């Protein structure tokens, strides 16, 4: 089979199927459609993750390889944060103290796993010694944005929140931890990733994030303009007649007995 | 919150957002007398490609969103056609600008290869953005719920 067709069928189609499955799952009301959406997204995800083996000739499948490599630590962190969040003071569905400890352990283990992918032998490799190029895209962008967003959140809690100093300090700690990982990456070589490589890709990830932000803002502006122009071309709705005296009297008769209060 | 205080708050939050990046640059300048391994041309190429691809991909996502917006308006075709044109304009601009030569062409041999690379690259960056946002928002929520519950209103005794 043609390589392009193979890449389309075994990589790009599954890539498109994942959000489609998610959309069906979220927008459907009946259980059968929800299950169908879930299954579709899962099959798409599996096919994307195994695409480096099913379509080895396509360089794009390195992204599928990266997804397979990071899904473990990412899920550990996300589930860990979920457990920590919902074992705190929430009004409904509160989890136990044990879940909280488990959540903390899972989050720390997830972060340690990511750190091991940079400094130890866990780095995603396409072949022995050949580091997946998309790892250099993902890791610096993730660390930098986590540090920036946590710092932003810390200040937001401090300035907008009321008496949220402790929470704010926790966010500054997270921001500082991400910053320290960045700083270590910039100065200490890993088993397969050198600090020079990391430094070069950090600046490129800044360009990536800035470009993505500018492109997204432009797109949202165009979207708002399209709606604005369309709404402006619509004819204004016709006004109805003002109520007559008889109608006003009828309304007053209905409202009057319901005014007042304090009497049981 | 009055206007001047609100403006100050926004400025503080914007500063806090870029603070880690400023710190890295400051440390780099202090230790190495300059920002090391920063290539202006390569970074500009990456920025331009990310802008074009981000615009095009999000335009298509918003086009899908517009489909649902039309559900409550008897499915008008005008906004859908308008957004489709805006999305196609993104594709045309990407193909045209990449085709102009080395300005937007990275280590790829053809316009098609560069465009596909841009899409995959943007998806990976978007994945990093989603995970970083989830971690930061989740940690904020965890920090808020982990503190002692506060009583905002005293219960009035009869």
């Amino acid at each position: 089979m043609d390589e392009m067709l193979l890449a389309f069928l075994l990589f790009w189609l599954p890539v498109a199927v994942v959000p489609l499955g998610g959309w069906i799952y979220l927008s459907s009301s009946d259980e059968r459609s929800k299950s169908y959406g879930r299954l579709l997204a899962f099959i798409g995800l599996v096919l994307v993750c195994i695409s480096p083996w099913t379509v080895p000739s396509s360089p794009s499948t390195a992204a599928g390889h990266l997804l397979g490599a990071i899904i473990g630590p990412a899920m550990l962190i996300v589930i860990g944060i979920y457990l920590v969040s919902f074992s705190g003071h929430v009004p409904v569905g509160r989890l136990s103290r044990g879940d909280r400890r488990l959540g903390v352990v899972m989050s720390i283990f997830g972060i340690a796993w990511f750190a091991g992918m940079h400094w130890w032998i866990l780095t995603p490799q396409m072949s022995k010694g050949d580091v997946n190029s998309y790892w250099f895209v993902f890791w610096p962008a993730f660390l930098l944005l986590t540090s920036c967003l946590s710092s932003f959140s810390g200040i937001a809690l401090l300035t907008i929140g009321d008496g949220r100093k402790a929470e704010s300090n926790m966010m500054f700690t997270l921001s500082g931890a991400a910053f320290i990982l960045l700083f270590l990456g910039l100065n200490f070589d890993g088993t397969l990733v050198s600090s020079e490589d990391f430094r070069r890709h950090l600046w490129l990830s800044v360009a990536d994030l800035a470009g993505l932000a500018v492109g997204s803002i432009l797109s949202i502006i165009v979207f708002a303009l399209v709606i604005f122009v369309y709404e402006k071309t619509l004819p204004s709705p016709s006004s109805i007649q003002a109520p007559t005296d008889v109608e006003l009297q009828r309304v007053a008769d209905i409202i009057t007995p319901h005014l007042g209060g304090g009497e049981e | 919150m009055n206007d001047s205080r609100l403006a100050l708050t926004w400025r503080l939050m914007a500063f806090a957002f870029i603070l880690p990046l400023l710190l890295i640059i400051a440390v780099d300048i202090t230790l190495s007398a300059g920002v090391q391994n920063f290539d202006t041309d390569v970074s500009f190429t990456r920025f331009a490609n990310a802008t074009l691809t981000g615009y095009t991909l999000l335009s298509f996502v918003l086009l899908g969103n517009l489909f649902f917006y039309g559900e409550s308006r008897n499915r008008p075709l005008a906004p859908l056609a308008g957004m489709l044109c805006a999305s196609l304009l993104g594709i045309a601009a990407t193909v045209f600008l990449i085709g102009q030569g080395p300005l937007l062409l990275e280590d790829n041999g053809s316009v098609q290869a560069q465009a596909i690379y841009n899409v995959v690259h943007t998806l990976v960056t978007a994945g990093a953005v989603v995970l970083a946002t989830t971690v930061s928002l989740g940690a904020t929520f965890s920090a808020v719920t982990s503190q002692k519950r506060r009583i905002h209103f005293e219960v009035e005794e009869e």
Side-chain angles (χ1 to χ4, degrees):
Chain A
M1 201 186 282
D2 180 35
E3 281 182 4
M4 292 269 282
L5 185 65
L6 210 61
F8 172 75
L9 288 175
L10 295 173
F11 179 71
W12 289 104
L13 202 62
V15 165
V17 155
V18 175
L20 181 72
W23 173 65
I24 291 172
Y25 173 70
L26 291 172
S27 61
S28 303
S29 50
D30 64 304
E31 273 307 310
R32 198 173 162 185
S33 298
K34 274 180 182 285
S35 308
Y36 177 66
R38 230 176 355 221
L39 183 71
L40 211 59
F42 179 72
I43 290 172
L45 203 66
V46 170
L47 284 175
V48 169
C49 288
I50 62 168
S51 61
W53 293 277
T54 53
V55 208
S57 58
S58 171
S60 304
T61 55
H65 181 268
L66 179 78
L67 180 66
I70 64 170
I71 204 161
M75 289 316 289
L76 273 175
I77 294 174
V78 170
I79 294 171
I81 287 176
Y82 170 82
L83 291 176
V84 173
S85 298
F86 286 94
S87 55
H89 295 284
V90 286
V92 284
R94 186 173 174 177
L95 302 171
S96 67
R97 298 290 298 174
D99 285 331
R100 185 177 189 79
R101 278 189 287 273
L102 180 67
V104 172
V105 171
M106 283 174 83
S107 298
I108 291 172
F109 190 67
I111 291 165
W113 190 342
F114 269 136
M117 290 169 93
H118 181 88
W119 283 284
W120 199 39
I121 53 168
L122 298 175
T123 314
Q125 299 169 63
M126 297 304 289
S127 57
K128 197 161 173 56
D130 175 24
V131 178
N132 187 330
S133 57
Y134 290 114
W135 169 249
F136 290 114
V137 178
F138 171 82
W139 180 234
F142 168 69
L143 279 183
L144 183 66
L145 200 62
T146 303
S147 185
C148 290
L149 285 173
S150 303
S151 169
F152 174 88
S153 172
I155 285 287
L157 283 167
L158 208 59
T159 53
I160 298 175
D162 179 24
R164 295 280 182 194
K165 199 167 184 317
E167 292 91 330
S168 170
N169 286 341
M170 287 170 85
M171 292 315 293
F172 286 134
T173 308
L174 177 64
S175 176
F179 182 80
I180 286 170
L181 284 176
L182 265 179
F183 187 75
L184 290 175
L186 288 171
N187 293 290
F188 295 98
D189 291 342
T191 312
L192 292 162
V193 181
S194 70
S195 57
E196 291 250 320
D197 277 341
F198 184 77
R199 186 179 289 271
R200 194 159 46 86
H201 284 93
L202 175 67
W203 301 129
L204 290 179
S205 74
V206 173
D208 269 335
L209 292 171
L212 195 63
V214 171
S216 304
I217 290 167
L218 280 175
S219 176
I220 290 166
I221 289 172
V222 168
F223 178 72
L225 273 175
V226 165
I227 291 185
F228 175 74
V229 169
Y230 170 68
E231 293 282 344
K232 222 177 166 193
T233 56
L234 290 178
S236 52
S238 52
S239 301
I240 57 169
Q241 295 286 323
T244 61
D245 288 344
V246 178
E247 285 165 340
L248 285 173
Q249 187 54 50
R250 171 90 179 116
V251 171
D253 289 345
I254 292 169
I255 291 173
T256 308
H258 300 287
L259 291 178
E263 296 158 21
E264 287 294 322
Chain B
M1 200 180 279
N2 60 34
D3 283 349
S4 61
R5 187 158 162 71
L6 193 66
L8 179 72
T9 302
W10 275 108
R11 273 179 215 147
L12 270 175
M13 288 195 291
F15 177 69
F17 184 78
I18 57 165
L19 184 64
L21 187 60
L22 293 178
L23 274 177
I24 289 169
I25 295 171
V27 169
D28 242 24
I29 290 171
T30 312
L31 295 180
S32 342
V35 182
Q36 286 184 315
N37 290 37
F38 178 72
D39 188 326
T40 319
D41 290 341
V42 178
S43 296
F44 174 75
T45 305
R46 202 80 287 289
F47 171 76
N49 277 322
T51 304
L52 284 168
T53 318
Y55 168 82
T56 310
L57 288 181
L58 191 64
S59 292
F60 275 106
V61 171
L62 292 175
L63 178 67
N65 201 20
L66 209 54
F67 184 76
F68 293 103
Y69 157 81
E71 207 164 15
S72 57
R73 308 271 172 141
N74 299 325
R75 293 223 178 281
L77 283 176
L80 277 174
M83 203 59 210
L84 185 65
C85 285
S87 309
L88 293 177
L89 189 72
I91 293 179
T94 307
V95 171
F96 174 74
L97 290 171
I98 293 173
Q100 291 306 299
L103 182 69
L104 294 190
L105 211 54
E106 291 174 274
D107 297 332
N108 297 294
S110 65
V111 172
Q112 192 188 15
Q114 180 67 48
I116 289 174
Y117 173 76
N118 281 350
V119 173
V120 177
H121 197 108
T122 305
L123 289 179
V124 173
T125 310
V129 171
V130 168
L131 188 60
T133 310
T134 307
V135 168
S136 302
L137 274 179
T140 308
F141 189 63
S142 302
V144 170
T145 59
S146 66
Q147 300 302 314
K148 279 182 186 167
R149 195 198 298 238
R150 303 177 197 186
I151 299 167
H152 295 286
F153 304 102
E154 295 293 335
V155 178
E156 284 181 20
E157 296 291 331
E158 290 280 328

